[in-house]
Amino acid sequence: MASTASTTDTIAQLRSAMAGMQDGMPRLPLETHPALSGLVHLRAGGSYAVDHAGLALALLAGPSRAGGWCAAVGVADFGAESARELGVDLDRTVLVPDPGDRWLEVTAALIDVVTVVLVRPQGRVPERVAERLTARLRKRSAALVVQERSPGDWPRAEVRLSTRDPAWSGVGEGHGHLRSRRVLVEVHRGSAPQRRGALWFPAEDQTCRRADELVAVPPAEVAS
């Protein structure tokens, strides 16, 4: 008879395999920034909602490092220097800072030709619009990162990443310089246990890296 632990592992593997299939087509994994490894795994066809501009750039960095093309739509304050430091290749990044009311058309067109698209919608997006883009993502094997202005702006996000408890270091007793920031990242994916991990973002060398070990939070604790 299989042990409880082995049964749990098998269920987890089956869930992972099912998550990697959609409409009978394999959803290929995309490169993920090392600092986010274990917290979130990017997959073609997925949509990822974030509440932090730097976190959005970190999600672009993995596919970009692997040679993929990226795009940013409606992000007028796109931090090119920060993106470069995270590993985004700006020579393979398309920027459309002000698409106006054509943001949906522009985003859909870019999904056809790049690996991952970052979009910042002006407000809450209707479910029918999100569904339409989700279908396009799966067909074109691209991923979408949505930088939300307010929680829930993107109703069909497969994974949601949020940040809290930022703490800067480097200043003490009224002197010194801000050198690094520690932030807690929480990852929500459907009914799966929430994952938490702390990042140095930025670290003293202006990179992004893990500050502690990954934690899977039991549902009861999340509810509390």
Side-chain angles (χ1 to χ4, degrees):
M1 181 179 293
S3 67
T4 301
S6 63
T7 300
T8 301
D9 289 343
T10 300
I11 292 173
Q13 292 170 9
L14 289 172
R15 284 177 173 170
S16 178
M18 291 175 65
M21 299 288 292
Q22 186 65 43
D23 300 329
M25 305 226 7
R27 293 182 53 195
L28 300 177
L30 301 176
E31 193 74 22
T32 304
H33 191 285
L36 299 175
S37 179
L39 280 172
V40 61
H41 299 287
L42 292 179
R43 285 187 178 275
S47 55
Y48 304 82
V50 302
D51 67 352
H52 185 274
L55 201 54
L57 295 180
L59 288 174
L60 294 186
S64 183
R65 285 179 170 185
W69 278 77
C70 301
V73 180
V75 187
D77 56 352
F78 183 87
E81 188 60 34
S82 297
R84 183 185 292 109
E85 290 172 348
L86 285 167
V88 176
D89 187 340
L90 299 179
D91 290 335
R92 293 197 306 272
T93 302
V94 180
L95 301 180
V96 187
D98 186 15
D101 58 6
R102 299 182 63 188
W103 73 269
L104 177 59
E105 178 183 346
V106 172
T107 301
L110 287 168
I111 285 173
D112 289 349
V113 295
V114 305
T115 305
V116 57
V117 178
L118 164 62
V119 63
R120 183 191 290 166
Q122 293 297 315
R124 184 170 178 81
V125 175
E127 289 210 16
R128 60 180 176 77
V129 171
E131 288 175 356
R132 191 185 315 160
L133 279 187
T134 297
R136 199 179 193 100
L137 289 169
R138 292 167 181 164
K139 182 178 180 180
R140 299 299 185 183
S141 293
L144 184 70
V145 177
V146 183
Q147 186 183 338
E148 295 182 317
R149 298 173 187 269
S150 301
D153 277 352
W154 195 266
R156 289 289 182 174
E158 179 178 325
V159 181
R160 294 188 180 277
L161 296 88
S162 57
T163 57
R164 65 181 182 88
D165 300 340
W168 285 93
S169 63
V171 176
E173 301 299 327
H175 59 84
H177 299 279
L178 294 174
R179 295 196 305 266
S180 58
R181 180 180 63 175
R182 186 180 185 276
V183 63
L184 184 65
V185 177
E186 298 180 337
V187 180
H188 309 259
R189 182 190 179 105
S191 60
Q194 181 192 100
R195 290 176 178 263
R196 292 177 184 167
L199 304 182
W200 287 115
F201 200 1
E204 290 191 22
D205 58 1
Q206 299 305 302
T207 61
C208 175
R209 62 173 183 265
R210 291 295 291 273
D212 64 3
E213 295 298 321
L214 173 69
V215 175
V217 184
E221 184 176 335
V222 173
S224 62

